[in-house]
Amino acid sequence: MSVVYFLGQLIFCGKKDIFTGKTKQLKWSDPELLREAKDYDSALKAMKAIIDQGEGASAYNLLQQNVDSSELAHYFKFSSIFFTNEKVYNNKEQESHENYVYAGDKISFFETGVWPVVNNPQMSKYKPDSQAYKNAQAFNDVYRKLLETLQSVFDGNVDRFDDAFGLMKSLIVYGTRVVQTPIDDGGDPNIGPNAGPTYFN
């Protein structure tokens, strides 16, 4: 809620009128999912929508996305996976300096669903002209194009958002192809080590 708090502080420093709605903004068929910030009030509603979708947390319960949902906020959802236990409130059986502990139901991990990707993937770990190198490079090319397209959208070319969305989906295809490719040509992808996306490294 800190962003919303700072938006509120704009009132006191005379900056409430910075939201003019004159800049190009993305539009969506459902205004509840994507709001235009035309003035201070609509900017506040846009920030609330982002928080309610899980990118923040309820001011009344930091664990939840919002007061109307039992879903965990994204931070706590991912941290629960890391600690392999669902989050629950603290109680007499579990002492903690926080008001919650990772002591809920065990989150199962199925190794058979994970490809044996090399630690810290880097292009230098792949032999030039190998299939691993080619697939990783192809992923990087699409990733670079995605970043450039998103930058163009943020620069005001909002009509390119559909292009960016398509590139996001294609990254799944390219990424899956990379992690299924052994570093050594002719290797077993089920044993590995397999390549992984390097993100230009």
Side-chain angles (χ1 to χ4, degrees):
M1 293 295 288
S2 59
V3 176
V4 175
Y5 170 78
F6 285 117
L7 282 177
Q9 297 304 301
L10 292 175
I11 298 176
F12 301 105
C13 62
K15 299 294 185 180
K16 185 177 179 179
D17 58 350
I18 64 174
F19 302 101
T20 63
K22 294 180 180 179
T23 56
K24 292 183 179 180
Q25 299 183 56
L26 288 174
K27 297 181 180 180
W28 204 261
S29 56
D30 186 349
E32 294 298 318
L33 294 179
L34 187 62
R35 294 177 177 272
E36 289 185 85
K38 299 179 179 179
D39 50 33
Y40 176 81
D41 291 334
S42 59
L44 200 60
K45 290 179 180 178
M47 292 306 306
K48 183 180 183 302
I50 293 172
I51 292 171
D52 288 348
Q53 291 168 12
E55 300 301 338
S58 165
Y60 304 98
N61 180 358
L62 294 179
L63 302 182
Q64 295 176 214
Q65 288 186 16
N66 56 65
V67 294
D68 301 318
S69 172
S70 60
E71 283 284 319
L72 289 173
H74 287 180
Y75 172 84
F76 294 110
K77 186 177 294 184
F78 293 136
S79 62
S80 294
I81 295 173
F82 177 80
F83 287 106
T84 70
N85 283 92
E86 293 183 5
K87 181 185 288 290
V88 296
Y89 278 109
N90 197 8
N91 53 45
K92 294 181 180 179
E93 285 75 30
Q94 294 285 344
E95 294 185 2
S96 172
H97 66 283
E98 302 284 359
N99 67 337
Y100 52 80
V101 290
Y102 297 95
D105 294 337
K106 190 73 174 177
I107 298 177
S108 300
F109 173 68
F110 301 97
E111 290 189 25
T112 54
V114 180
W115 292 97
V117 175
V118 65
N119 290 331
N120 190 23
Q122 297 181 24
M123 294 300 291
S124 60
K125 293 185 177 182
Y126 313 145
K127 296 178 181 178
D129 296 327
S130 67
Q131 196 60 52
Y133 189 98
K134 294 175 181 177
N135 288 352
Q137 187 61 58
F139 177 92
N140 285 345
D141 290 341
V142 176
Y143 182 63
R144 179 184 291 105
K145 189 173 183 179
L146 169 61
L147 295 181
E148 292 172 349
T149 305
L150 284 174
Q151 184 62 57
S152 178
V153 172
F154 295 144
D155 287 342
N157 301 307
V158 296
D159 56 321
R160 298 197 64 191
F161 178 75
D162 287 342
D163 295 336
F165 192 70
L167 288 168
M168 291 178 193
K169 287 190 172 183
S170 68
L171 270 184
I172 298 175
V173 177
Y174 282 89
T176 301
R177 187 178 300 162
V178 173
V179 299
Q180 294 178 353
T181 306
I183 289 180
D184 297 320
D185 287 339
D188 187 340
N190 294 308
I191 298 177
N194 292 355
T198 66
Y199 301 96
F200 311 131
N201 290 325

